[in-house]
Structures are given as structure tokens and as C-alpha cells.
Amino acid sequence: MSAADRLREVDRRITEACERSGRERSEVGVIAVTKYVSAPAVFEVLRTGLKHLGENRWQNAESKWRAVEEASGSDPDIGQAVWHFIGSLQTNKVKEVVGRFTYIHSLDRLSLAKAIDKQAGQLGIRVPCFVQVNVSGEDSKHGLAPGGLEDFVRQIADFQHLEVAGLMTMAPYEAEPEATRPVFRGLRELRDKLNASGLLSYEVKHLSMGMSNDFDIAVEEGATWLRLGSILVGKEEGVQ
């Protein structure tokens, strides 16, 4: 199945989930998670018209990032990609990520926020970040405890080069995707509570949640960005 065929099937399911929950299809964006594929597969995705790409490590993303940058100037079907950093980010890697990735989906501690704000300031940009919250409480998951969200946001509210664009979470893998619903609903409720608190001078709009196994449920619960890998771009042998 081609990338275009997979995207059409994903779009059909998103549209149906939006209809079930009374949402507009335009409210939901798709990030193609390309960490397990090489540059040719990334080009195939971009040629479908989907421009948002997700990677979780700069050392694995670098060759693809550079290939896309080079090709975008000569191949109009590829065009400009919008890169999302979706993995855990070490503070010593911030200089490699900020300025190359438009969005960061894994802001989970003050030291990282300070490093992003500093690097963005040096580049004269403002970085939209998603605060990662460990709604499920799993030890294997990164992110703030739900009870610590408002205090964390209070600490970064005045940062000039960092914007809280939304919240992000990862649900446990469940054989029955319906079991993930409380996690996604919990993140939406946390966002709504954060907006009601008035801690920020702007509205936090986005929810980055839902992956290949459970994105239908995430859409029904308010996801605005889906991070889709295997169902959309597949996985190549030897690519990590």
C-alpha cells in the first residue's frame, strides 16, 4: 500500500471519529512519525501533501532533515516540511533541535524550558512547546504528574521565547483501544483547567495525543495533533 493510500484510510477514520464526536475534520492535524523509515519514505509522505513530520532523536533525524532541506528547493512536490520533535529531549541537545524543529512535544522540566528559551532567544524565535503530562502514571512514561502541571506552567509563564502551545501524553498500549479513553479525556480536562486558571495570557489550544493503535479514541476525546508512525509510514528493517 502506498503512502497516499494509507493517508486516505487514516483520513477516513479521523473523519468518522470527528463525526461521532461532533468535531470538524479541520481541527485534527496529522504528524507522520518517520523515525523508523529512511529519506525515500519521507519523500513519499511529503509528496502526498502531508508536511508535518515527527522524529524523536536528532542523531537519527539529521540525515533525513538535511535530505529534505536539500530536496525542497528543487522538487516542488516535496516542498517545505514542518518538523516536530516528539522524543525525550536532553538539555545538551537543545542547540541541535531548536531552530530546526518548529514544535517540541516533550517539555517536562524547568531546566529544559530554560535551555529552550535561551537558545530560542539567541536565534530570535519563539518555540511552540507541548508540556508532556504522564496522565497514566506509568513509570516507563516521561512527563509531569498531572498535579504538578499548573505549578510548572506558573514557573514558565513569563518566558519570552517559549510558548505553551498545548499538552502531550502517551497512553499505554492496550489490546482494546477503548481502554485508553480515560487517559485522553484526562489530558483534555487538564488543558481546560489550565485555561480556566488564567496562568497564561493566551489560550492553550492543542492536545498532542493518539498514535497508530488508539488515534480514533484520541480524536473523539479532543486530540488536535495525532502522532502516527506504523499505520501511516510503516517501518523499515534496520532503521532505528
Side-chain angles (χ1 to χ4, degrees):
M1 186 181 290
S2 69
D5 290 336
R6 291 193 292 266
L7 181 58
R8 278 192 288 270
E9 174 61 15
V10 165
D11 185 70
R12 180 189 65 79
R13 289 173 57 180
I14 294 171
T15 299
E16 290 179 354
C18 286
E19 290 172 352
R20 289 193 298 270
S21 51
R23 303 183 66 196
E24 296 294 328
R25 172 64 184 86
S26 59
E27 298 175 22
V28 185
V30 174
I31 302 164
V33 178
T34 54
K35 63 181 181 178
Y36 292 125
V37 296
S38 55
V42 174
F43 292 156
E44 185 183 2
V45 169
L46 292 172
R47 289 189 179 103
T48 69
L50 180 58
K51 299 303 182 186
H52 292 267
L53 305 176
E55 289 278 343
N56 69 336
R57 293 181 182 177
W58 170 243
Q59 58 265 41
N60 295 342
E62 182 176 6
S63 62
K64 287 172 272 188
W65 185 90
R66 296 192 186 284
V68 170
E69 286 293 296
E70 181 178 350
S72 64
S74 58
D75 189 337
D77 290 334
I78 291 177
Q80 292 292 327
V82 179
W83 294 86
H84 297 245
F85 192 86
I86 61 174
S88 181
L89 181 58
Q90 298 174 313
T91 54
N92 63 355
K93 299 294 184 182
V94 164
K95 289 183 179 180
E96 297 171 341
V97 171
V98 172
R100 294 187 172 109
F101 289 76
T102 301
Y103 297 92
I104 295 174
H105 287 243
S106 50
L107 177 59
D108 61 357
R109 59 197 185 278
L110 185 58
S111 60
L112 178 59
K114 289 179 176 178
I116 293 171
D117 188 62
K118 179 180 178 180
Q119 182 65 17
Q122 291 174 357
L123 296 174
I125 61 175
R126 186 172 170 88
V127 179
C129 295
F130 292 75
V131 178
Q132 185 170 356
V133 185
N134 186 1
V135 177
S136 68
E138 289 181 286
D139 292 338
S140 60
K141 297 285 194 297
H142 292 279
L144 298 167
L149 175 62
E150 288 192 14
D151 183 58
F152 177 71
V153 170
R154 188 177 291 110
Q155 294 178 77
I156 66 173
D158 294 329
F159 285 19
Q160 296 300 302
H161 300 282
L162 182 155
E163 173 189 347
V164 180
L167 305 182
M168 185 273 259
T169 201
M170 296 178 65
Y173 181 89
E174 300 283 359
E176 176 47 63
E178 178 64 32
T180 63
R181 190 178 298 278
V183 174
F184 298 140
R185 181 174 295 162
L187 192 72
R188 172 168 51 82
E189 291 172 348
L190 284 169
R191 182 203 57 189
D192 294 347
K193 184 180 178 184
L194 177 61
N195 282 328
S197 73
L199 289 172
L200 295 168
S201 60
Y202 52 88
E203 180 185 6
V204 177
K205 296 182 179 179
H206 292 290
L207 295 173
S208 171
M209 60 188 194
M211 297 190 292
S212 293
N213 186 58
D214 52 28
F215 70 90
D216 311 76
I217 306 298
V219 171
E220 291 176 4
E221 290 299 332
T224 63
W225 283 108
L226 306 172
R227 309 182 304 273
L228 303 181
S230 59
I231 198 170
L232 189 57
V233 298
K235 183 176 181 179
E236 296 175 20
E237 195 74 28
V239 179
Q240 298 181 349

